[in-house]
Amino acid sequence: MYHHSASTSGPAAGSATGVLDPAADSRDALLFQRCTWCGTAMYHRLLCPVCQGSELRTERSEGVGTVRHSTVVHRNTPAARNVSLVEMAEGFVVRGRVMGPPVGIHSGDRVRLSTAKDPVRGEPVFQLVDEPYRAWT
């Protein structure tokens, strides 16, 4: 019978190259994957949605993006909160929360990453790059 020695290191069963490492400093950075075959950028996928390739490499996002869709959610929270789809500069879309008044966030607003992981919901948190026009306040 063969016993694996603890002193030797080898790839674990089912491990893949470029898999996101949760031990990395992902608190301050948004990590995404890029397909080595077609170059498609994606967020937390096992296969490329374009070519179905499994060779994905992990990259660090610049943290700048544009709100593509935002909605106000009143369920399971004491106060209203927004849920937004943000298209990042690298080309992938991520679901997250934009800080600010929920009704003040619109499609086309530019945002930047504030925190890669919200402690409550575990999703990225963004803040507006350009403050909304507040002439009436």
Side-chain angles (χ1 to χ4, degrees):
M1 175 179 246
Y2 176 76
H3 292 283
H4 183 38
S5 173
S7 63
T8 61
S9 63
S15 67
T17 59
V19 173
L20 297 175
D21 182 17
D25 58 323
S26 61
R27 178 85 177 146
D28 299 331
L30 188 61
L31 302 177
F32 70 99
Q33 298 154 306
R34 188 173 302 275
C35 179
T36 58
W37 290 100
C38 68
T40 302
M42 67 212 81
Y43 185 70
H44 292 281
R45 300 291 292 262
L46 295 175
L47 295 174
C48 174
V50 175
C51 71
Q52 301 301 312
S54 62
E55 293 183 27
L56 309 174
R57 69 176 181 267
T58 302
E59 295 182 11
R60 182 181 302 265
S61 173
E62 295 281 328
V64 178
T66 305
V67 175
R68 286 294 159 224
H69 179 74
S70 183
T71 186
V72 178
V73 177
H74 298 276
R75 186 173 57 180
N76 297 332
T77 58
R81 65 180 178 91
N82 75 332
V83 175
S84 300
L85 292 178
V86 177
E87 183 177 351
M88 302 304 289
E90 293 82 8
F92 65 97
V93 177
V94 62
R95 178 185 152 177
R97 181 172 59 89
V98 180
M99 292 189 297
V103 294
I105 298 155
H106 305 287
S107 297
D109 288 347
R110 295 180 333 158
V111 294
R112 68 182 157 94
L113 184 68
S114 175
T115 305
K117 197 170 211 179
D118 181 18
V120 176
R121 301 230 179 253
E123 57 190 17
V125 178
F126 298 92
Q127 61 186 15
L128 293 170
V129 172
D130 302 323
E131 285 294 321
Y133 184 63
R134 300 185 194 276
W136 302 46
T137 58

